[in-house]
Amino acid sequence: MRTICLYFEIHQNILMKRYRFFDIGTDHYYNDDYGNEALTNQMAEKSYIPALSTLIEMVKNSNGEFKVALSVSGLTLEQLELHAPAVIDLLHQLNDTGCCEFLAEPYAHSLSSLENEDCFKEEVKRHSEKMKQLFGKTPKVFRNANLLYSDDIGALVASMGYKGLLTEGAKHILGWKSPHYLYHCNVNPNLKILLRDFKLSDDISLRFSDSDWSEYPLFADKYMDWVNAFPQEEQVINIFMELAAIGYIQPISSNILEFLKALPRCAKDRGITFSTPTEVITKLKSISQVDVPYPISWADEERDTSSWLGNILQREAFKKLYSIAERVYLSRDKRIKQDWDYLQASNNFRFMTTKNTGINIWRGNYDSPYDAFTNYMNILGDFIKRVNALYPEDMDNEELNSLLTTIKNQDEEIASLQKQLEKMKIKLDKVTGKQESKTKTKKLPN
C-alpha cells in the first residue's frame, strides 16, 4: 500500500538590531525585539494558527487516519512562548491527537553540523530535551536545518541514536533512482533516510497560487492522481515543506486550506494512506544506501550549501563565528549561550547571499548582502570580546583542551548518574506498587 509522509518545518528568521561599529564594547544587546515580536505575530496570524487548526481538523475528520510530522526550532519556540502562546496551545492539541510526530533538529537552526561536532551534538540534545519537556516524547527521527545532509552528518546523527533522517531527494545524488523508497546511510545502515520529492512538495509550497503555472488551479483530486500514477512498487511519497507555505507564502485567499482538507479523503479513495516518519522506517525496508560525499540541502536549484556559504562574505563570517566555538562551549554564562544561539541561526548567513536565484530574497531589516555582513560582523566583534574576556585568546590549546575534557567528563558523569537515578525510581515504584497491592489484599474481607 502506498503512503504519504507529510512533514512541516516551523522556523522563523531571527532578527538582529542595527548595530554600529562604535557600539562595540559598549552595547551587548543584539536582538531586534520589536522586529521579532512583529514577525512572530504576523506568522502566527497568517500561517501558524490557521494551518495548525486545519491539521487538527484533518486528523479529527479522518478518524485518525491522517498523520503528519512537525519540527519546531528552539529559537522559534522561544519566540512563540513569548509572543504567540496560542500557537503552542495548538501544537499541544495536535500532539494530543496521537497522529503527529515531532522531530529533532539543531536548537538554533544552525549550520553547526558543517563545522563543529560538539556544538552540533549539544544543540540537538538540547532541542530533543525541549521536545520531551513540551510534548512528552523523545524524538526518534532527525531533520537537520535546511535538510542539510552528507555521509559524515549521517554517521554523526546515527551515533546519537536516531533511527531515521529526512533530507532532500536531490537529482545529482539520486541520478536515475526514485526518492519514493526508503534508503539508508552508507556509513551506518541503521540510520534510515527519507528523501523529499521536491516537485510534489514545491507544487504546493511554491506554485499553488501561481496563475501562470500550467497546472493552475490545483485541486486535491488531481494532486492525488499524480501520486497514484507512480509505479506500485514506489511505496512512500515524502512531501516536506515549511509550515509558512500554508497561509503566508500561499495566502489563505488561494484556498490552500480547502485543498489541504480535501487531501485525506482523496487519498483514501485511491487507497493511499498517511504515515509518520517513524512508521515509515518501521514498516518499510531500505532498498539501498544513498551516497552523499558533499553536503546537500533543500535550497535553490543547486540543492547545496551555497545559499549560506556561497560567497567570501558568508564564509568569512562563518569561519569567524566558529573560531570561538570551543570557548563558548566552556562558558556557563546564560547570556553568552543565548547570544551564541542567535548568532548561529542560519538566516544570518542567508541574508548575506549574492546569488541570483530568480526570486526576491527577503533580507530582514538589511538593504543589501553587504549591509547584512557589516552589521553581523559588528555584533560578532563585540561578542568575541565578551568571550575572550572569559577565556583569553592567549590561553594555550593544552589548557583549553584540559578544560573541555573536564567539562565533557562532568557532563558524562551527570548523565550516568541521571540514568542510575531513573532506574532506581522505576525499581522504587515497582516495590511501592507491590507493597500497596499486598496491603489492599490483606484488607479484603473473607
Side-chain angles (χ1 to χ4, degrees), residues 83-149:
H83 308 303
V87 177
I88 302 293
D89 291 340
L90 287 171
L91 290 171
H92 280 295
Q93 290 180 40
L94 187 56
N95 181 55
D96 290 342
T97 66
C99 296
C100 177
E101 179 176 3
F102 285 93
L103 311 185
E105 69 164 68
Y107 189 93
H109 200 75
S110 75
L111 308 175
S112 58
S113 60
L114 301 175
E115 185 66 22
N116 191 291
E117 181 178 315
D118 288 333
C119 287
F120 176 71
K121 284 185 173 181
E122 187 276 334
E123 271 196 86
V124 175
K125 180 182 178 183
R126 189 153 41 102
H127 183 269
S128 183
E129 289 171 350
K130 183 75 171 179
M131 292 295 100
K132 177 68 184 299
Q133 174 195 339
L134 279 175
F135 305 116
K137 299 172 185 175
T138 300
K140 298 177 182 178
V141 177
F142 177 80
R143 64 88 56 187
N144 205 355
N146 311 298
L147 291 193
L148 284 169
Y149 179 75

Side-chain angles (χ1 to χ4, degrees), residues 131-275:
M131 292 295 100
K132 177 68 184 299
Q133 174 195 339
L134 279 175
F135 305 116
K137 299 172 185 175
T138 300
K140 298 177 182 178
V141 177
F142 177 80
R143 64 88 56 187
N144 205 355
N146 311 298
L147 291 193
L148 284 169
Y149 179 75
S150 68
D151 295 334
D152 290 339
I153 293 173
L156 184 55
V157 171
S159 73
M160 297 172 70
Y162 290 98
K163 304 301 181 184
L165 178 145
L166 277 55
T167 190
E168 178 72 3
K171 283 184 178 180
H172 67 278
I173 293 298
L174 282 175
W176 57 268
K177 296 178 182 177
S178 168
H180 304 150
Y181 294 95
L182 186 65
Y183 293 86
H184 62 263
C185 172
N186 71 350
V187 180
N188 190 328
N190 292 323
L191 182 72
K192 303 303 186 290
I193 298 176
L194 290 83
L195 298 173
R196 175 179 181 256
D197 183 315
F198 61 83
K199 182 187 180 301
L200 285 176
S201 301
D202 292 348
D203 284 343
I204 299 175
S205 64
L206 299 182
R207 292 183 280 272
F208 183 82
S209 61
D210 182 4
S211 58
D212 293 328
W213 181 34
S214 62
E215 301 294 344
Y216 178 87
L218 179 61
F219 296 102
D221 55 352
K222 180 199 288 189
Y223 190 80
M224 282 303 164
D225 282 341
W226 293 346
V227 174
N228 200 39
F230 291 118
Q232 284 302 310
E233 62 269 19
E234 298 188 5
Q235 292 187 317
V236 56
I237 313 299
N238 299 308
I239 301 170
F240 307 157
M241 68 190 82
E242 297 177 77
L243 190 66
I246 311 302
Y248 186 77
I249 300 172
Q250 306 302 328
I252 301 296
S253 59
S254 69
N255 290 323
I256 185 69
L257 296 182
E258 285 68 25
F259 170 83
L260 276 182
K261 291 175 186 177
L263 288 178
R265 176 181 55 79
C266 291
K268 187 175 182 179
D269 290 344
R270 292 159 179 77
I272 300 169
T273 64
F274 286 86
S275 300

